[in-house]
mmCIF file of all heavy atoms in Angstrom:
data_model
loop_
_atom_site.group_PDB
_atom_site.id
_atom_site.type_symbol
_atom_site.label_atom_id
_atom_site.label_comp_id
_atom_site.label_asym_id
_atom_site.label_seq_id
_atom_site.Cartn_x
_atom_site.Cartn_y
_atom_site.Cartn_z
ATOM 1 N N GLY A 246 -74.575 -32.852 40.594
ATOM 2 C CA GLY A 246 -75.029 -31.678 39.845
ATOM 3 C C GLY A 246 -73.999 -30.564 39.837
ATOM 4 O O GLY A 246 -73.426 -30.279 38.782
ATOM 5 N N ALA A 247 -73.684 -30.024 40.994
ATOM 6 C CA ALA A 247 -72.859 -28.819 41.055
ATOM 7 C C ALA A 247 -71.371 -29.143 40.837
ATOM 8 O O ALA A 247 -70.657 -28.270 40.326
ATOM 9 C CB ALA A 247 -73.036 -28.162 42.421
ATOM 10 N N ARG A 248 -70.909 -30.306 41.255
ATOM 11 C CA ARG A 248 -69.460 -30.531 41.195
ATOM 12 C C ARG A 248 -69.133 -31.942 40.725
ATOM 13 O O ARG A 248 -68.128 -32.526 41.228
ATOM 14 C CB ARG A 248 -68.831 -30.169 42.524
ATOM 15 C CG ARG A 248 -69.508 -30.739 43.752
ATOM 16 C CD ARG A 248 -68.692 -30.521 44.975
ATOM 17 N NE ARG A 248 -68.637 -29.102 45.356
ATOM 18 C CZ ARG A 248 -69.260 -28.583 46.414
ATOM 19 N NH1 ARG A 248 -69.990 -29.351 47.186
ATOM 20 N NH2 ARG A 248 -69.148 -27.315 46.701
ATOM 21 N N GLY A 249 -69.895 -32.446 39.821
ATOM 22 C CA GLY A 249 -69.656 -33.824 39.309
ATOM 23 C C GLY A 249 -68.308 -33.984 38.693
ATOM 24 O O GLY A 249 -67.682 -35.064 38.770
ATOM 25 N N ASP A 250 -67.775 -32.953 38.033
ATOM 26 C CA ASP A 250 -66.468 -33.030 37.416
ATOM 27 C C ASP A 250 -65.314 -32.547 38.263
ATOM 28 O O ASP A 250 -64.139 -32.594 37.868
ATOM 29 C CB ASP A 250 -66.470 -32.306 36.056
ATOM 30 C CG ASP A 250 -67.429 -32.973 35.081
ATOM 31 O OD1 ASP A 250 -67.476 -34.219 35.051
ATOM 32 O OD2 ASP A 250 -68.213 -32.242 34.412
ATOM 33 N N GLN A 251 -65.658 -32.123 39.477
ATOM 34 C CA GLN A 251 -64.592 -31.701 40.415
ATOM 35 C C GLN A 251 -63.923 -33.007 40.958
ATOM 36 O O GLN A 251 -64.588 -34.047 41.114
ATOM 37 C CB GLN A 251 -65.222 -30.967 41.565
ATOM 38 C CG GLN A 251 -64.225 -30.555 42.674
ATOM 39 C CD GLN A 251 -64.912 -30.110 43.941
ATOM 40 O OE1 GLN A 251 -65.868 -29.352 43.940
ATOM 41 N NE2 GLN A 251 -64.494 -30.713 45.080
ATOM 42 N N VAL A 252 -62.604 -32.943 41.208
ATOM 43 C CA VAL A 252 -61.962 -34.097 41.755
ATOM 44 C C VAL A 252 -62.379 -34.346 43.233
ATOM 45 O O VAL A 252 -62.411 -33.411 44.062
ATOM 46 C CB VAL A 252 -60.397 -33.938 41.709
ATOM 47 C CG1 VAL A 252 -59.678 -35.096 42.407
ATOM 48 C CG2 VAL A 252 -59.954 -33.830 40.222
ATOM 49 N N ALA A 253 -62.814 -35.551 43.493
ATOM 50 C CA ALA A 253 -63.266 -35.932 44.833
ATOM 51 C C ALA A 253 -62.055 -36.508 45.602
ATOM 52 O O ALA A 253 -61.796 -36.168 46.727
ATOM 53 C CB ALA A 253 -64.344 -36.978 44.780
ATOM 54 N N ILE A 254 -61.314 -37.423 44.944
ATOM 55 C CA ILE A 254 -60.135 -38.022 45.615
ATOM 56 C C ILE A 254 -58.917 -37.947 44.677
ATOM 57 O O ILE A 254 -58.969 -38.289 43.461
ATOM 58 C CB ILE A 254 -60.394 -39.497 45.901
ATOM 59 C CG1 ILE A 254 -61.501 -39.663 46.929
ATOM 60 C CG2 ILE A 254 -59.102 -40.190 46.436
ATOM 61 C CD1 ILE A 254 -61.780 -41.132 47.327
ATOM 62 N N ARG A 255 -57.840 -37.394 45.221
ATOM 63 C CA ARG A 255 -56.513 -37.471 44.574
ATOM 64 C C ARG A 255 -55.753 -38.513 45.361
ATOM 65 O O ARG A 255 -55.670 -38.412 46.584
ATOM 66 C CB ARG A 255 -55.789 -36.145 44.643
ATOM 67 C CG ARG A 255 -56.545 -34.946 44.154
ATOM 68 C CD ARG A 255 -55.675 -33.701 44.303
ATOM 69 N NE ARG A 255 -54.520 -33.768 43.408
ATOM 70 C CZ ARG A 255 -54.463 -33.187 42.207
ATOM 71 N NH1 ARG A 255 -55.434 -32.397 41.809
ATOM 72 N NH2 ARG A 255 -53.398 -33.347 41.446
ATOM 73 N N TYR A 256 -55.183 -39.457 44.630
ATOM 74 C CA TYR A 256 -54.568 -40.520 45.354
ATOM 75 C C TYR A 256 -53.078 -40.632 44.897
ATOM 76 O O TYR A 256 -52.757 -40.455 43.718
ATOM 77 C CB TYR A 256 -55.264 -41.819 45.071
ATOM 78 C CG TYR A 256 -54.453 -43.044 45.497
ATOM 79 C CD1 TYR A 256 -54.401 -43.319 46.865
ATOM 80 C CD2 TYR A 256 -53.724 -43.812 44.607
ATOM 81 C CE1 TYR A 256 -53.622 -44.380 47.316
ATOM 82 C CE2 TYR A 256 -52.959 -44.839 45.046
ATOM 83 C CZ TYR A 256 -52.922 -45.088 46.374
ATOM 84 O OH TYR A 256 -52.128 -46.145 46.840
ATOM 85 N N GLU A 257 -52.205 -40.915 45.891
ATOM 86 C CA GLU A 257 -50.790 -41.178 45.517
ATOM 87 C C GLU A 257 -50.317 -42.395 46.274
ATOM 88 O O GLU A 257 -50.477 -42.511 47.504
ATOM 89 C CB GLU A 257 -49.888 -39.992 45.800
ATOM 90 C CG GLU A 257 -48.419 -40.234 45.377
ATOM 91 C CD GLU A 257 -47.566 -38.972 45.372
ATOM 92 O OE1 GLU A 257 -47.974 -37.905 44.915
ATOM 93 O OE2 GLU A 257 -46.428 -39.113 45.862
ATOM 94 N N GLY A 258 -49.757 -43.344 45.565
ATOM 95 C CA GLY A 258 -49.148 -44.542 46.179
ATOM 96 C C GLY A 258 -47.793 -44.250 46.702
ATOM 97 O O GLY A 258 -47.167 -43.233 46.345
ATOM 98 N N GLU A 259 -47.261 -45.128 47.536
ATOM 99 C CA GLU A 259 -45.926 -44.870 48.087
ATOM 100 C C GLU A 259 -44.879 -44.821 47.007
ATOM 101 O O GLU A 259 -43.885 -44.114 47.099
ATOM 102 C CB GLU A 259 -45.576 -45.926 49.147
ATOM 103 C CG GLU A 259 -44.405 -45.405 50.001
ATOM 104 C CD GLU A 259 -44.032 -46.309 51.191
ATOM 105 O OE1 GLU A 259 -43.416 -47.351 50.958
ATOM 106 O OE2 GLU A 259 -44.424 -45.965 52.274
ATOM 107 N N GLN A 260 -45.097 -45.564 45.950
ATOM 108 C CA GLN A 260 -44.074 -45.560 44.841
ATOM 109 C C GLN A 260 -44.302 -44.383 43.848
ATOM 110 O O GLN A 260 -43.636 -44.375 42.820
ATOM 111 C CB GLN A 260 -44.150 -46.905 44.122
ATOM 112 C CG GLN A 260 -43.710 -48.040 45.002
ATOM 113 C CD GLN A 260 -43.579 -49.340 44.225
ATOM 114 O OE1 GLN A 260 -44.537 -49.686 43.463
ATOM 115 N NE2 GLN A 260 -42.497 -50.035 44.402
#
Side-chain angles (χ1 to χ4, degrees):
R248 45 172 71 108
D250 295 319
Q251 178 197 311
V252 174
I254 295 182
R255 305 181 69 100
Y256 168 74
E257 183 169 315
E259 197 174 76
Q260 294 186 312

